[in-house]
Amino acid sequence: MSQDIKHVRNIGISAHIDSGKTTLTERILYLTKRIHKIHEVRGKDGVGATMDSMALEKERGITIASAATYCTWEGHEINIIDTPGHVDFTMEVERSLRVLDGAILVLCAVGGVQSQSITVDLQMKRYNIPSIAFINKCDRSGANPFRVIEQLREKLGHNAVALELPIGLETHHHGVVDLISMKALYFEGDHGQHVKTDEIPEDLVDTAMEKREELLDAASMFSDELTEAILDEAEVSETMLREAIRKGALRRELTPVLMGSAYKNKGVHPLLNAVCYYLPSPDDVETHALDITQGEEPVRLTADNKASLVALAFKLEDTPYGQLTYIRTYQGALDKGDTIYNVRTGKKIKVGRIVRMHADKMEDVETIPAGFIAALFGIDCASGDTFTEPGVNLSMSSMYIPEPVITLAVKPADYKSETNMSKALNRFTKEDPTFQTHFNSETGETLISGMGELHLEIYLERMKREYNASIIAGEPQVAYRETITQQANFDYTHKKQTGGAGQFGRVMGYMEPVEDEFEFESKITGGAIPTHFIPACEKGFAECMKKGPWMKYPVTGVKLVLTDGGFHSVDSSEMAFQAAARGAFQQAYSKAKPVLLEPVMKVVVETPDEFQGNVMGSLNQRRGIIIGAHDEGISTVIEAHVPLAEMFGYSTVLRSLTQGKAQFTMEFEAYKEVPKSVLEEIAKKNEQASKGGKS
């Protein structure tokens, strides 16, 4: 492992579905001599891409789980995480970006900035990750990289600047013009492994000069030296220009754009060079941990091997040899045999085996220096746990975990499958925080929840393949929510007289709608309710939020305010006040005019022009609201907001409507009120389900 932290890069490759992330990673691994043969994503040769190691990934030609690897290039050590493009596996992208320092945003030269590009860009913004853009598929019909650069500026707000110019597009795409060295680069050999440098073709000289001026103009904002050189009309050295671009990129104020075709092995060398030139080393990134002993005061970490250890477990995987815990060291080195401390559980752990990952293969190492990504074996922990040296009470901030939007009832087909199903569910919930499971005691069903149909479908398939569990799945259920629309008062007394001490608690106040999920405020004065009973009232109210008194769905957006109450010196207890709060909630809830909310999804359909009318019609039938439609080359992109309840099985419908030529992506947009007609249907269904459950 590289001893110079300045020569280390931790990067992610993120993009919309089918932009070529995994193909690009495959070419990077080949050029850096990590693999000696290239395999394609939908393994026609029966092998499949290196980073798609799961059988399901090879079959479907999609990335399901993020995979880590590393390689060396020009004296730099690059740790790479290839992430999924499907929004259903958004947690994989989230947790990867949480621990990375830089990213390559891959965009299709035809599709440009698509819905999922916007999502991954938001995730990069959330963790303040500098990125470079790679416009892939310049050899495709309809490729237009400069339109994509415009979209980067308009749709994502990037200060995107081209560092290259394509030499020909579509079938005539032969190479790129490097606007820094002002040379033409051609990629020769079976896999483009030989770079041939030549003079810029005559017909491109004027365009290259114009684009270089734009580049100098943008880069000069970050370097006084460069500005002076331009004003004095002195020679601008390559080093001077690269340093200015690097400064802008590290601040996320400039996005360098490169282009090529990963599949045709064009433009991957300059991209690797750009990763080394413009993306940050762990030393360039400002990282903070929270000091638990000082009220979560932020503490700056340094990528120094001699400092005390701080590392984050960001992904868990169950293997035949035990749990594999992917970790990123932020500060201090971790050696085999060290004793480390899990800040969340307070337990000490001895480090047995440390490995570095290359997709599903692993290589044993003795130590992980600061700023590296590796994995530990046989350590019991959860995703998001912080490890430190004993005596160091620092914790990394937690990851953002989106709420699941779809639920499915599952039951095992036989006794053997029951044991295997529970093993699988235990493992999957531990590995993936967006996959949740709970048992419904009323109906006796096991419910699994996730980010979408595909998400749950993949887990059901994995239970069958990896655990030999035959599962019977019910109809998908939407994660409805209840909320209130107006203020309502309560005045409730809980009174119970049995033999011995009774129970007494009185609560008065009101509930009102708010933006947040749940708020509680006490305005009690003069000791109307003793202070030590106030938390019991809050607990009683919070319990009611889990299941609404009206439609029995979780409640959101309610603030409860206590204004007055009463107590008995002998009969009042925490239990009595909890019960009083529950009664008060029930009393005020119906007066607060409750409504039902449903998850509404942002659906983006890409379809050939001739099917535009059919697709729009199909979205309208599903209570969809069309937000817009625009042409992207030969296809039309339609964006709509559609309730999730109406989207089940849509992929089959879309295929038959468009002869299999259209594709769609879907992600959570917001919770909206359910229309009255639909509400009646849901109420009927629930009534039938509860009757069925009782019988």
Side-chain angles (χ1 to χ4, degrees):
M1 292 190 200
S2 172
Q3 290 310 302
D4 183 358
I5 197 75
K6 291 275 179 210
H7 289 155
V8 175
R9 300 286 180 270
N10 293 314
I11 65 162
I13 297 183
S14 301
H16 184 84
I17 309 148
D18 278 349
S19 297
K21 297 176 296 299
T22 306
T23 303
L24 177 62
T25 312
E26 190 81 358
R27 301 310 187 263
I28 288 173
L29 294 177
Y30 179 79
L31 288 182
T32 55
K33 299 191 167 51
R34 286 295 281 131
I35 58 173
H36 304 291
K37 192 165 188 241
I38 287 176
H39 296 288
E40 299 314 334
V41 173
R42 284 186 189 270
K44 288 177 187 149
D45 52 4
V47 179
T50 309
M51 302 305 279
D52 286 348
S53 53
M54 208 187 287
L56 268 170
E57 294 180 314
K58 289 184 175 23
E59 283 168 28
R60 290 173 178 246
I62 59 169
T63 303
I64 292 167
S66 52
T69 186
Y70 64 94
C71 56
T72 51
W73 181 258
E74 303 292 343
H76 288 72
E77 187 135 351
I78 305 172
N79 294 305
I80 300 172
I81 296 185
D82 174 30
T83 61
H86 273 272
V87 72
D88 289 38
F89 310 111
T90 193
M91 194 60 216
E92 288 291 324
V93 186
E94 192 76 39
R95 62 166 136 222
S96 302
L97 291 176
R98 171 69 182 81
V99 296
L100 294 168
D101 304 320
I104 300 173
L105 177 63
V106 184
L107 300 155
C108 171
V110 182
V113 172
Q114 293 161 287
S115 58
Q116 200 56 27
S117 324
I118 297 169
T119 306
V120 294
D121 183 65
L122 275 173
Q123 289 171 313
M124 287 177 199
K125 232 176 239 164
R126 187 178 294 136
Y127 299 115
N128 202 25
I129 290 179
S131 61
I132 54 181
F134 180 67
I135 300 175
N136 192 19
K137 303 192 177 185
C138 284
D139 57 326
R140 256 188 78 186
S141 174
N144 184 347
F146 286 100
R147 195 194 71 219
V148 181
I149 291 173
E150 268 317 303
Q151 290 180 347
L152 269 171
R153 291 174 187 149
E154 287 166 14
K155 290 188 179 180
L156 301 183
H158 281 247
N159 179 15
V161 182
L163 305 192
E164 292 175 346
L165 196 64
I167 300 173
L169 285 170
E170 302 180 347
T171 50
H172 305 294
H173 178 55
H174 302 302
V176 294
V177 172
D178 180 356
L179 297 175
I180 293 174
S181 65
M182 287 303 274
K183 293 283 180 200
L185 306 177
Y186 298 96
F187 307 92
E188 297 178 345
D190 294 344
H191 300 296
Q193 62 272 51
H194 307 301
V195 182
K196 182 183 146 200
T197 308
D198 209 338
E199 293 306 313
I200 300 171
E202 268 179 42
D203 59 329
L204 286 176
V205 171
D206 291 347
T207 315
M209 294 300 285
E210 184 193 316
K211 294 293 176 191
R212 182 176 162 89
E213 283 303 315
E214 283 178 25
L215 171 60
L216 289 171
D217 202 30
S220 64
M221 303 298 288
F222 306 99
S223 165
D224 294 340
E225 189 190 358
L226 179 60
T227 309
E228 275 174 36
I230 294 167
L231 291 172
D232 297 344
E233 294 186 6
E235 191 192 336
V236 174
S237 72
E238 287 182 30
T239 312
M240 192 194 296
L241 183 49
R242 285 200 180 106
E243 276 173 9
I245 296 167
R246 179 178 172 80
K247 266 187 202 163
L250 294 189
R251 289 193 213 158
R252 276 184 59 89
E253 289 171 20
L254 185 138
T255 305
V257 181
L258 295 100
M259 48 194 74
S261 162
Y263 184 64
K264 295 278 174 68
N265 312 298
K266 290 178 171 55
V268 184
H269 290 78
L271 179 67
L272 275 166
N273 291 335
V275 166
C276 303
Y277 291 140
Y278 312 121
L279 289 183
S281 73
D283 209 27
D284 296 317
V285 179
E286 204 170 298
T287 313
H288 292 89
L290 307 173
D291 189 337
I292 293 167
T293 55
Q294 298 293 319
E296 300 202 342
E297 187 72 28
V299 176
R300 177 139 190 214
L301 302 178
T302 56
D304 178 3
N305 289 338
K306 294 183 180 69
S308 52
L309 175 78
V310 179
L312 176 74
F314 67 94
K315 176 176 158 78
L316 310 179
E317 217 173 81
D318 201 35
T319 73
Y321 316 106
Q323 183 175 296
L324 188 64
T325 306
Y326 285 76
I327 70 162
R328 155 83 197 253
T329 53
Y330 283 95
Q331 178 176 286
L334 177 62
D335 296 323
K336 197 172 165 179
D338 278 359
T339 298
I340 56 176
Y341 168 74
N342 184 331
V343 177
R344 181 182 61 87
T345 61
K347 286 181 182 168
K348 286 183 180 174
I349 304 154
K350 195 169 169 65
V351 177
R353 189 178 169 200
I354 305 176
V355 293
R356 289 192 78 189
M357 301 304 295
H358 173 46
D360 59 340
K361 297 177 183 66
M362 50 196 80
E363 293 155 25
D364 283 86
V365 290
E366 294 297 311
T367 182
I368 320 174
F372 274 78
I373 289 169
L376 307 177
F377 254 118
I379 282 181
D380 186 35
C381 68
S383 185
D385 281 359
T386 304
F387 296 118
T388 61
E389 287 176 12
V392 177
N393 264 319
L394 295 176
S395 173
M396 299 302 292
S397 60
S398 58
M399 283 174 265
Y400 168 77
I401 298 169
E403 282 292 309
V405 291
I406 177 173
T407 300
L408 206 60
V410 289
K411 60 179 183 190
D414 49 50
Y415 179 71
K416 187 185 164 205
S417 294
E418 191 172 345
T419 320
N420 292 350
M421 182 177 99
S422 81
K423 273 187 200 164
L425 292 179
N426 277 341
R427 171 189 159 188
F428 296 149
T429 47
K430 202 173 178 188
E431 284 182 10
D432 181 354
T434 58
F435 178 74
Q436 295 172 10
T437 166
H438 63 279
F439 183 72
N440 185 335
S441 50
E442 286 176 21
T443 60
E445 290 176 321
T446 300
L447 301 173
I448 57 172
S449 306
M451 301 306 295
E453 264 187 298
L454 180 67
H455 193 206
L456 298 184
E457 191 187 309
I458 292 290
Y459 276 119
L460 289 172
E461 187 65 29
R462 285 182 68 185
M463 279 186 225
K464 193 168 143 190
R465 290 182 185 207
E466 295 169 34
Y467 286 88
N468 198 18
S470 300
I471 307 291
I472 300 162
E475 285 290 305
Q477 299 294 314
V478 175
Y480 291 108
R481 296 275 185 273
E482 294 181 26
T483 192
I484 55 170
T485 54
Q486 64 180 43
Q487 191 177 319
N489 296 329
F490 55 81
D491 177 354
Y492 188 85
T493 306
H494 173 72
K495 209 175 186 176
K496 219 174 191 181
Q497 204 61 50
T498 49
Q503 285 183 29
F504 182 87
R506 184 183 180 192
V507 290
M508 295 164 71
Y510 59 89
M511 62 164 61
E512 63 182 2
V514 283
E515 285 293 313
D516 291 332
E517 275 186 37
F518 171 64
E519 282 180 34
F520 172 78
E521 190 185 341
S522 168
K523 290 185 177 175
I524 297 291
T525 50
I529 298 175
T531 316
H532 58 280
F533 289 139
I534 304 285
C537 297
E538 183 176 359
K539 196 175 174 188
F541 287 134
E543 264 177 44
C544 296
M545 298 288 290
K546 291 176 189 168
K547 194 174 187 182
W550 175 45
M551 298 278 282
K552 308 290 181 269
Y553 289 111
V555 181
T556 186
V558 176
K559 180 177 182 176
L560 287 135
V561 182
L562 271 188
T563 55
D564 204 351
F567 72 103
H568 187 279
S569 54
V570 177
D571 291 352
S572 283
S573 64
E574 284 193 5
M575 209 166 86
F577 273 101
Q578 266 192 54
R582 287 197 294 270
F585 192 98
Q586 303 259 4
Q587 184 192 65
Y589 193 73
S590 55
K591 291 189 284 185
K593 294 236 170 104
V595 291
L596 193 63
L597 304 175
E598 64 180 346
V600 171
M601 311 303 277
K602 175 182 157 192
V603 177
V604 179
V605 185
E606 272 182 61
T607 172
D609 296 346
E610 69 258 37
F611 303 116
Q612 184 182 344
N614 295 358
V615 171
M616 282 185 164
S618 75
L619 292 170
N620 284 328
Q621 280 168 2
R622 292 176 146 65
R623 296 196 282 126
I625 295 166
I626 309 283
I627 303 299
H630 57 275
D631 293 334
E632 293 280 0
I634 51 168
S635 14
T636 301
V637 174
I638 300 162
E639 194 178 310
H641 289 169
V642 192
L644 175 65
E646 306 289 340
M647 286 301 292
F648 297 131
Y650 185 61
S651 50
T652 316
V653 171
L654 187 65
R655 269 201 295 274
S656 62
L657 277 178
T658 62
Q659 298 166 14
K661 291 176 186 170
Q663 57 170 6
F664 80 100
T665 57
M666 177 168 83
E667 61 186 298
F668 175 71
E669 176 67 24
Y671 269 99
K672 302 263 173 76
E673 192 180 328
V674 172
K676 272 209 166 56
S677 56
V678 179
L679 184 63
E680 285 161 16
E681 279 174 41
I682 297 168
K684 252 187 224 162
K685 258 188 203 168
N686 287 358
E687 211 174 290
Q688 285 165 357
S690 62
K691 278 179 191 167
K694 281 168 193 166
S695 64

